[in-house]
Amino acid sequence: MAEKILVIEDDAAFREMLVEALTSKGFEPQSVGSVEEGLRRLGETPFELVLTDVMLPGKSGIEAISLIRDMAPTTDVIVMTGYSTREKALEAVRRGAYDFFSKPFSLTELEIVIRRALERRGLRAELASLRTSLREARGGPTIVGQSEGMRRVVELIHRVAGLDTTVLVTGESGTGKEVVSDAVHALSKRATGPFIKVNCAAIPENLLESELFGHEKGAFTGALALKKGKFELAQGGTLMLDELGDMPLFLQPKLLRAVEQRQIERVGGARPIDIDIRIIAATNQDLPQLVEEKKFRADLYYRLSVAVIRIPPLRERKEDLPLLVEFFLSRINVKLGMNLRGITREAMGLLYAHDWPGNVRQLANVLERAAIMSTGEVLEADHFRDAFQVRAHAAGQEKGHSPGAAADGGEHVASLRQTLEDVERSMIETALAKKDGVQKEAAALLGISPKNLWNKIQKHGIDPARFSGQVA
């Protein structure tokens, strides 16, 4: 079904041209000459997108943005004007516009932006559907991401959730291993049973055995009563062993027995106890490497890695940033009682340029910090630079640098401009590789016009011919 687009434009000739162009591209446009007419039409018919001029009789296009957003929250707004200024563009974005075009503009570029806006709308709908399905499964967790890597994660979750097999979740700190574990349990046959979590790195070695397996009264000094361990408490449900790579070697044979024989013994106990649980293990460490170094039992590793779900780090799935930002801003709005609508393009550029060593957890913290620093409804680049400077300062201190080290001839931190240049070049080369060096297709993948891509190729000195015949 063709997407419905409402055009608000008082210039009859330009309005007719836009309607004709949009129709030729497969859209279903309708047009009106004023904001008041546009709002009436929106009340009668749902539209996926609104294109509005700024200078209109009665209410202006800028004033219309918040009115449209209030009436149709899921409808994106693109603003067009022949009187472009940076202030007007920022005001449009602050009020919730998806994009801003200055007349005259390329219809090809407009089509690309429209399709990107509609694709984002589709992703939001798909994300909402995923959230609903997970929440319906015992108020399940939310997994955010539409990148290829995260699609594989979601596919694996659904594939293994109902199998009742042991699952190993791997990934760097902050990637969301606990969220994935929550989803596996929530979608499993054991969803109505208990879900017990143990962080193996947070409990001292001399207490971990008792914490996991329990102890009998009098088993050791201070054991004044019988205590059930986490394995017994998880009966009929799921036990998550987080930071598994930190489990001491002396406990691993006992864990292996629990996995293989479905039996445990309490500390100081003499009889085996049958258990009916599912085990989900999670780690940010390289277990095969630990096996080679004799720091982790090979037989235990093989028993736990029946089904492995690897969560990609944020730097490998930066295309998920817009969805993650939208998700975390909605949580921040609830938590802090704010009304944040989004972030500027420049701010998003900063997020794309960052390497995110702390992954999704770091992104959430940076967004919250930026929200606290802001005074409006849209987060700007300056709100994020402060958070990144704090991290850069901390990293410098860890390396033994003082705040003035760079000025004294020490290592220089690359400028933001250079970082963004490097990211832009990398994205262009990746798109060219994916599209076999065909510039038109690479431009469409990047969401820019072929002319814009050609200019950037010249700026970076990229030879598109060397990507011909490559398979990305």
Side-chain angles (χ1 to χ4, degrees):
M1 183 180 294
E3 294 91 347
K4 290 185 174 63
I5 298 177
L6 178 63
V7 178
I8 306 177
E9 170 62 64
D10 62 330
D11 185 324
F14 186 67
R15 184 170 70 237
E16 185 178 344
M17 182 272 292
L18 269 180
V19 168
E20 184 178 335
L22 292 172
T23 302
S24 70
K25 297 298 183 181
F27 300 115
E28 188 179 322
Q30 296 183 29
S31 64
V32 295
S34 69
V35 171
E36 289 76 11
E37 291 179 70
L39 293 174
R40 279 196 295 271
R41 193 70 62 89
L42 271 172
E44 300 166 356
T45 307
F47 288 88
E48 281 75 28
L49 189 70
V50 174
L51 294 178
T52 180
D53 193 12
V54 171
M55 304 301 291
L56 293 165
K59 295 185 183 297
S60 73
I62 298 292
E63 292 176 292
I65 296 170
S66 54
L67 296 173
I68 293 169
R69 297 284 292 173
D70 290 341
M71 180 175 287
T74 62
T75 300
D76 282 316
V77 181
I78 295 177
V79 175
M80 312 170 292
T81 181
Y83 306 91
S84 176
T85 65
R86 184 173 182 274
E87 288 71 24
K88 277 189 182 295
L90 283 174
E91 179 63 18
V93 173
R94 285 194 185 99
R95 295 201 180 205
Y98 174 75
D99 214 328
F100 188 97
F101 275 93
S102 301
K103 299 177 184 177
F105 50 77
S106 162
L107 288 177
T108 301
E109 190 172 356
L110 177 63
E111 181 193 359
I112 290 172
V113 173
I114 287 175
R115 293 198 184 279
R116 284 178 62 189
L118 294 173
E119 181 182 359
R120 187 181 77 154
R121 176 188 172 92
L123 291 177
R124 285 203 304 261
E126 192 173 341
L127 177 61
S129 175
L130 177 60
R131 287 176 184 168
T132 300
S133 66
L134 288 173
R135 282 172 182 159
E136 285 175 353
R138 201 190 172 200
T142 301
I143 297 178
V144 181
Q146 291 295 333
S147 61
E148 184 179 348
M150 289 309 294
R151 285 178 184 272
R152 283 198 299 269
V153 168
V154 172
E155 180 185 347
L156 278 171
I157 289 171
H158 285 277
R159 188 180 301 171
V160 306
L163 299 180
D164 210 34
T165 186
T166 302
V167 178
L168 177 62
V169 183
T170 67
E172 297 177 4
S173 293
T175 50
K177 295 186 292 296
E178 187 172 347
V179 174
V180 168
S181 301
D182 288 345
V184 172
H185 173 71
L187 296 173
S188 74
K189 300 170 185 176
R190 298 178 178 270
T192 56
F195 187 23
I196 306 297
K197 302 177 184 179
V198 181
N199 188 321
C200 299
I203 302 172
E205 285 190 8
N206 61 327
L207 298 179
L208 184 58
E209 184 177 11
S210 173
E211 190 70 22
L212 289 174
F213 303 105
H215 62 252
E216 299 286 351
K217 180 180 179 181
F220 50 83
T221 303
L224 303 179
L226 180 149
K227 174 187 175 182
K228 291 185 177 181
K230 302 300 186 184
F231 276 88
E232 288 185 77
L233 294 176
Q235 283 282 23
T238 305
L239 174 65
M240 179 191 176
L241 299 174
D242 200 5
E243 305 297 349
L244 180 73
D246 291 298
M247 175 169 283
L249 271 171
F250 78 88
L251 273 183
Q252 292 180 23
K254 203 164 182 177
L255 175 58
L256 179 62
R257 179 186 179 188
V259 175
E260 286 187 328
Q261 301 179 19
R262 301 279 179 158
Q263 287 184 337
I264 63 164
E265 285 185 11
R266 299 186 190 122
V267 177
R271 65 178 182 84
I273 299 171
D274 293 330
I275 54 171
D276 174 27
I277 66 172
R278 180 190 204 161
I279 294 177
I280 299 176
T283 181
N284 62 1
Q285 299 192 50
D286 185 345
L287 290 187
Q289 180 64 35
L290 292 181
V291 169
E292 284 188 20
E293 296 172 358
K294 309 296 184 184
K295 296 178 180 177
F296 199 88
R297 291 180 61 108
D299 48 3
L300 178 57
Y301 168 67
Y302 296 135
R303 289 296 298 159
L304 292 174
S305 58
V306 175
V308 180
I309 301 177
R310 175 190 175 271
I311 309 175
L314 185 52
R315 63 180 175 276
E316 290 182 10
R317 60 179 188 107
K318 288 188 177 179
E319 60 266 45
D320 288 332
L321 277 170
L323 286 175
L324 287 165
V325 168
E326 183 176 351
F327 171 72
F328 285 125
L329 289 187
S330 67
R331 290 209 325 193
I332 290 169
N333 282 338
V334 173
K335 179 181 178 180
L336 302 182
M338 304 179 77
N339 188 33
L340 297 169
R341 292 178 178 267
I343 70 175
T344 65
R345 281 184 175 181
E346 187 182 2
M348 185 63 78
L350 274 177
L351 301 190
Y352 273 107
H354 198 57
D355 60 356
W356 299 109
N359 293 292
V360 178
R361 185 186 298 128
Q362 183 191 8
L363 173 64
N365 292 337
V366 166
L367 284 167
E368 185 168 344
R369 180 184 177 86
I372 293 170
M373 299 294 293
S374 71
T375 55
E377 295 184 345
V378 176
L379 301 182
E380 300 183 18
D382 287 342
H383 301 139
F384 291 94
R385 289 194 183 101
D386 183 53
F388 291 148
Q389 285 168 1
V390 168
R391 180 189 168 272
H393 173 75
Q397 295 287 26
E398 288 176 6
K399 294 179 180 179
H401 295 300
S402 67
D408 293 336
E411 294 182 7
H412 290 272
V413 178
S415 68
L416 171 63
R417 181 179 295 279
Q418 183 59 50
T419 303
L420 291 173
E421 293 280 337
D422 292 342
V423 171
E424 183 178 69
R425 179 188 180 91
S426 175
M427 291 178 70
I428 291 171
E429 290 179 339
T430 300
L432 287 168
K434 285 182 178 291
K435 296 301 179 181
D436 202 26
V438 179
Q439 294 183 46
K440 184 176 181 180
E441 294 181 8
L445 182 63
L446 292 166
I448 60 178
S449 68
K451 181 179 179 182
N452 194 357
L453 176 60
W454 185 86
N455 289 333
K456 292 180 182 297
I457 286 173
Q458 299 303 308
K459 179 180 75 172
H460 291 292
I462 299 172
D463 179 13
R466 71 185 176 91
F467 297 96
S468 178
Q470 288 192 15
V471 179

